[in-house]
Amino acid sequence: MSDVVRLERRGAIALITVNNPPVNALGVAVRQGLLEAFRAAEADAEVRAVALVCEGNTFIAGADIKEFGKPPQAPSLPDVIAFIEGASKPSVAVIHGTALGGGLEVALGCHYRIARGDAKVGLPEVKLGLLPGAGGTQRLPRLAGVAKALDMIVSGQPIGAAEAVEHHIVDELFEGDLVEAGLAYAHRMVEEGRAPRRTGEQTRGLEGADNEALIAARHAEVAKRMRGLFSPLRCIAAVEAATRLPLAEGLRRERELFAECLQSPQRAALVHSFFAERQASKIADLPADAKPREIRSAAVIGGGTMGVGIALCFANAGLPVKLLEIDDAALGRALQRARDTYGASVKRGSLSEEAMEKRLKLVEGVTDYATLAEVDLVIEAVFEDMGVKQQVFEKLDAVCRPGAILASNTSSLDVNQIAAFTRRPEDVVGLHFFSPANVMRLLEVVRGEKTSHEVLATAMAIGKKLKKVSVVVGVCDGFVGNRMIFQYGREAEFLLEEGATPQQVDGALRNFGMAMGPFAMRDLSGLDIGQAIRKRQRATLPPDRDFPTVSDRLCEAGMLGQKTGAGYYRYEPGNRTPLENPDLAPMLEAASREKGVERRTLDEAYIIERTIYALVNEGAKILEEGIAQRSSDIDVIYLNGYGFPAFRGGPMFYADSVGLDTVLAKVKELHARCGDWWKPAPLLERLAAEGRRFSDWQPGQ
Ligand code: 3HC
Ligand code: NAI
């Protein structure tokens, strides 16, 4: 018997235990072990029922994702499950933690299922560009009905154990010890003389609803809402097969569709995104003994857009947080904004009134720095002005206890300079949240020259506590995300001078998969922000460097975006739908004329190359400078903070999949035609020449 799957006889019960840390994924050894154990139980005349349990934190969390794209190894998961389902002795899956993907499919292959009250079950394959490929699309609808199965399979969202009972996915809940609960249930099966109840033979879930209409409606919804995604429509096709075909044929159809997804470039990109996110939490040079400090309370300085959002992150995580403003009036506004933000969630039904009040109690408004003496962490979110930051950090240094961490939410200023305003630069770190801070998952953890290992480890731990995806970045103007977005935004604007409209550029990038086009995005955040950045850049770059001018023209005309009712688009009061701004066309023409550019029609491919390769070229510079630890960290930043489509894996992965030689050829062409903004990054040139990818490059190579 393999060491990842154990079989023990407990009287008449065969107890099969999976032990494959960290998540009991179904690698080849587990598949083999399960098959052997179920076969042995079947062959043992003394065994009358089987209980399947898992060690560690969770039931089987799915297929081993690392095996995707590699040659398949027998036994296949569908074969293992077919054996489990076909066995003559009743079996029960004992679920704790998360039964996901292939894990839930194994449980569905068992004849009965019990789950601990806090367990979750789901089929998240769609998030990896796949569909459940081991019978999930055929067996789940037979139990839960087509509507629920479609919900779970197309969204990939897991559901809680109690809900799983409601939908006949799980038979009953238990509390306490897994093995005891499993053995007790198995004994009951024996005492009651229960026969195997094979999910594949059930029909209840397929009856009594207009399945054709449910499938058609879901099809229409997916075509609209999940545009460009390969696997969701195939998920639906597989469920449809369950409604029309006998089990064996349905399973065959599922397998074909699964294989199509497995081959798709989207699957590779989404699997990359999955591992990239987990990789980002690892810091190469952090010694193992760098223990995070305990954070029991926090404070936020400045209750503006960001400060309030950050304070809410702490309240959401159940941590008390002080919110400091300059005076009572400003504090009143900040606390009201906190209440309004929660109020909107209550109105939407995503938060209860009771939970809102409980969280608001955790946010204490203050105006006196002396009240911060005992907090463990302070995050400054005042105006983006070095003078103001200096005042704040000097005060914090004076009042905060030794060992307290002093963080800044600056989006572009020099964290080393900020650290130097204190006598404890080792305790200073950047924590760059994204707007709205209580919603966006990304957190750039800015590591200053002197930030200590312990403080860095604590910053990562806080990110986790706040349920953020944290990525370590180095100090430079704009860090990783914004430094790259400057390039992208500028090139988008140059396209306007060449002949495009904001609608065309935004449309092309949305078709590429971006959540939002760059101009709609600028209108949302306010055009004045970019103007300030351009001013700063102009001061440091050669005087002959070309800058686009449309945005400045809009600013001069007082069109700053949504907040003024017009920017690149026009907005009706109270409505965020972008409409054509009639004042823009003459500005575009004037901008082109002044540059001596003849306006022409631009195709989508050119729009994509011009903007996305600007990200890639800057990303390569960032990588070589060591501002990001690895190319996948840049991808994580773009996927979680900038609406880059997950099915393309992030800008660096996208470049790798296009081929760095192809990307470089285009960058060189743009360099020759558009000037020095497009100077190829040396790392891009080197890797392209060596036929390599960003993802296999390590610092120092
Ligand atoms: N295969 C291989 N490794 C996996 C894995 C999987 N299915 N799931 C998680 N891991 C690894 C992670 O990469 C990580 O490794 P690391 O420590 O080396 O970085 C480690 O397990 C722990 O993972 P998390 O950090 O994500 O741990 P959490 O406790 O936060 O979350 C989890 C646990 C909810 C199980 C989460 O890991 C998860 O969602 N995993 C993916 C589940 C999934 O997508 N399953 C479906 C797979 S596809 C499938 O089953 C196809 C089938 O239909 C044929
Ligand atoms: P904001 O202008 O909305 O809020 C700043 C708040 O700080 C104001 O309420 C002001 O009263 C308060 N304040 C000013 N001086 C203070 C002091 N000495 N003590 C206490 N409070 C003081 O600004 P916003 O947008 O919230 O930005 C704050 C910081 O976050 C800036 O550094 C900005 O660069 C950064 N940031 C902003 C993002 C955004 O999208 N707005 C995104 C990420 C970071």
Side-chain angles (χ1 to χ4, degrees):
M1 187 94 355
S2 73
D3 43 347
V4 290
V5 181
R6 267 194 335 267
L7 170 66
E8 293 161 73
R9 272 276 307 285
R10 299 283 182 98
I13 311 300
L15 177 67
I16 299 178
T17 309
V18 179
N19 180 20
N20 185 28
V23 297
N24 291 315
L26 289 157
V28 63
V30 175
R31 296 197 303 275
Q32 247 155 20
L34 280 174
L35 190 58
E36 278 171 34
F38 272 91
R39 272 193 184 139
E42 183 72 359
D44 186 338
E46 304 286 305
V47 168
R48 305 208 27 219
V50 181
L52 172 65
V53 299
C54 290
E55 282 191 358
N57 291 331
T58 180
F59 191 77
I60 300 164
D64 187 337
I65 301 172
K66 294 195 188 86
E67 286 184 358
F68 294 154
K70 296 187 182 153
Q73 283 177 279
S76 75
L77 189 57
D79 287 347
V80 175
I81 294 173
F83 185 87
I84 295 174
E85 183 168 62
S88 66
K89 297 167 186 178
S91 57
V92 57
V94 185
I95 298 172
H96 77 297
T98 44
L100 298 178
L104 179 57
E105 291 174 304
V106 167
L108 294 175
C110 290
H111 304 135
Y112 298 88
R113 285 155 295 282
I114 61 173
R116 208 167 66 188
D118 60 354
K120 289 194 168 146
V121 304
L123 293 173
E125 286 86 344
V126 71
K127 295 186 182 175
L128 300 172
L130 287 168
L131 51 87
T137 65
Q138 306 304 298
R139 293 193 177 91
L140 189 65
R142 285 176 156 81
L143 292 180
V146 169
K148 189 67 193 171
L150 282 173
D151 273 354
M152 289 177 65
I153 295 171
V154 174
S155 76
Q157 282 304 100
I159 60 171
E163 195 178 343
V165 171
E166 263 172 54
H167 292 278
H168 314 284
I169 301 166
V170 164
D171 294 286
E172 62 182 56
L173 303 183
F174 69 90
E175 294 304 331
D177 186 72
L178 301 176
V179 172
E180 268 175 36
L183 291 176
Y185 195 88
H187 279 299
R188 247 168 66 201
M189 295 197 298
V190 173
E191 279 156 23
E192 292 168 9
R194 282 197 229 169
R197 184 199 55 184
R198 300 188 176 96
T199 310
E201 293 168 1
Q202 310 283 305
T203 51
R204 204 196 51 80
L206 300 177
E207 291 159 2
D210 185 349
N211 291 335
E212 217 170 294
L214 286 171
I215 285 164
R218 189 62 57 133
H219 212 277
E221 189 190 317
V222 163
K224 196 167 144 211
R225 292 238 195 106
M226 299 171 105
R227 223 156 40 102
L229 288 180
F230 187 81
S231 72
L233 289 174
R234 284 161 183 80
C235 289
I236 299 174
V239 173
E240 186 177 11
T243 67
R244 293 173 191 261
L245 302 173
L247 182 73
E249 280 178 50
L251 288 172
R252 259 200 304 281
R253 180 75 188 120
E254 177 193 80
R255 209 60 201 163
E256 283 165 15
L257 291 161
F258 181 78
E260 280 178 25
C261 293
L262 205 55
Q263 302 306 324
S264 125
Q266 292 195 0
R267 190 274 304 158
L270 287 158
V271 167
H272 164 79
S273 308
F274 177 86
F275 285 119
E277 192 173 316
R278 275 138 191 96
Q279 187 73 7
S281 62
K282 296 174 180 117
I283 306 169
D285 64 339
L286 198 65
D289 61 355
K291 289 272 170 297
R293 294 181 192 163
E294 202 180 333
I295 302 295
R296 283 153 307 199
S297 64
V300 178
I301 313 295
T305 313
M306 293 307 289
V308 168
I310 296 169
L312 297 186
C313 291
F314 283 92
N316 293 345
L319 282 170
V321 58
K322 293 187 191 329
L323 182 58
L324 186 141
E325 259 295 349
I326 35 175
D327 55 32
D328 287 340
L331 182 60
R333 285 193 297 275
L335 294 176
Q336 187 57 45
R337 191 173 307 137
R339 179 169 282 281
D340 292 347
T341 308
Y342 278 145
S345 306
V346 171
K347 219 169 155 188
R348 273 199 307 275
S350 56
L351 187 73
S352 73
E353 191 106 22
E354 194 191 348
M356 164 169 100
E357 293 304 335
K358 204 167 146 203
R359 291 185 197 184
L360 282 172
K361 274 209 184 78
L362 290 168
V363 183
E364 183 192 348
V366 297
T367 51
D368 182 0
Y369 278 79
T371 59
L372 310 183
E374 290 308 318
V375 295
D376 299 320
L377 162 74
V378 185
I379 302 176
E380 162 279 312
V382 302
F383 304 131
E384 187 76 336
D385 176 292
M386 200 51 112
V388 185
K389 305 271 187 210
Q390 176 166 8
Q391 281 173 19
V392 170
F393 274 82
E394 283 173 357
K395 276 191 206 154
L396 291 175
D397 192 31
V399 301
C400 290
R401 66 167 181 78
I405 294 177
L406 309 183
S408 172
N409 180 50
T410 178
S411 43
S412 59
L413 299 177
D414 183 341
V415 172
N416 294 327
Q417 202 181 334
I418 294 177
F421 297 140
T422 73
R423 290 158 297 170
R424 43 174 126 178
E426 66 284 0
D427 286 340
V428 177
V429 66
L431 289 179
H432 183 209
F433 290 76
F434 288 71
S435 182
N438 52 318
V439 175
M440 296 294 290
R441 286 184 81 214
L442 179 63
L443 179 66
E444 280 184 333
V445 173
V446 189
R447 178 181 195 169
E449 255 164 31
K450 298 197 173 148
T451 306
S452 75
H453 286 143
E454 209 182 84
V455 168
L456 193 60
T458 314
M460 297 303 280
I462 293 160
K464 196 156 190 189
K465 177 110 194 158
L466 302 186
K467 297 207 165 64
K468 300 290 177 196
V469 179
S470 310
V471 184
V472 179
V473 301
V475 175
C476 67
D477 190 356
F479 313 122
V480 171
N482 285 347
R483 174 169 157 185
M484 285 167 66
I485 210 79
F486 299 153
Q487 315 295 325
Y488 168 87
R490 185 198 59 243
E491 292 305 315
E493 216 186 313
F494 275 135
L495 290 170
L496 298 186
E497 293 183 352
E498 287 193 6
T501 62
Q503 286 85 342
Q504 282 163 356
V505 176
D506 282 357
L509 283 157
R510 275 201 318 274
N511 288 342
F512 176 78
M514 299 299 288
M516 218 177 186
F519 296 113
M521 173 67 93
R522 282 186 176 190
D523 273 1
L524 179 68
S525 47
L527 269 58
D528 40 340
I529 294 183
Q531 198 182 27
I533 293 165
R534 278 192 300 281
K535 262 192 199 143
R536 208 169 58 220
Q537 285 188 336
R538 277 198 182 105
T540 58
L541 286 165
D544 59 347
R545 187 60 73 86
D546 188 17
F547 278 85
T549 59
V550 177
S551 191
D552 289 338
R553 285 167 206 266
L554 284 166
C555 288
E556 278 157 26
M559 297 187 198
L560 303 181
Q562 286 192 19
K563 61 185 169 190
T564 58
Y568 290 99
Y569 299 96
R570 183 175 63 81
Y571 302 89
E572 297 288 357
N575 191 333
R576 288 164 180 265
T577 313
L579 306 168
E580 187 178 335
N581 178 359
D583 297 327
L584 183 70
M587 291 188 198
L588 296 185
E589 272 153 30
S592 305
R593 212 169 31 245
E594 265 174 35
K595 293 269 174 81
V597 177
E598 193 167 335
R599 295 182 69 75
R600 63 190 173 98
T601 308
L602 308 181
D603 63 37
E604 279 206 12
Y606 176 67
I607 294 175
I608 304 297
E609 284 165 358
R610 187 86 191 250
T611 48
I612 301 294
Y613 290 176
L615 289 177
V616 173
N617 197 38
E618 194 68 20
K621 292 177 190 166
I622 283 173
L623 203 53
E624 192 157 32
E625 288 168 29
I627 297 294
Q629 285 192 90
R630 47 182 91 86
S631 68
S632 62
D633 280 8
I634 300 179
D635 290 333
V636 172
I637 288 174
Y638 265 74
L639 296 171
N640 292 285
Y642 294 85
F644 201 92
F647 68 83
R648 297 198 190 271
M652 308 312 274
F653 182 87
Y654 174 70
D656 276 346
S657 43
V658 169
L660 296 190
D661 47 351
T662 308
V663 175
L664 177 65
K666 188 49 92 179
V667 169
K668 281 185 169 164
E669 190 187 312
L670 288 164
H671 186 208
R673 198 163 63 74
C674 307
D676 269 352
W677 287 119
W678 281 97
K679 209 167 168 2
L683 181 64
L684 174 61
E685 290 192 299
R686 210 165 66 236
L687 294 179
E690 293 168 7
R692 292 171 61 196
R693 301 160 60 97
F694 287 126
S695 61
D696 58 36
W697 180 78
Q698 302 278 325
Q701 281 183 331

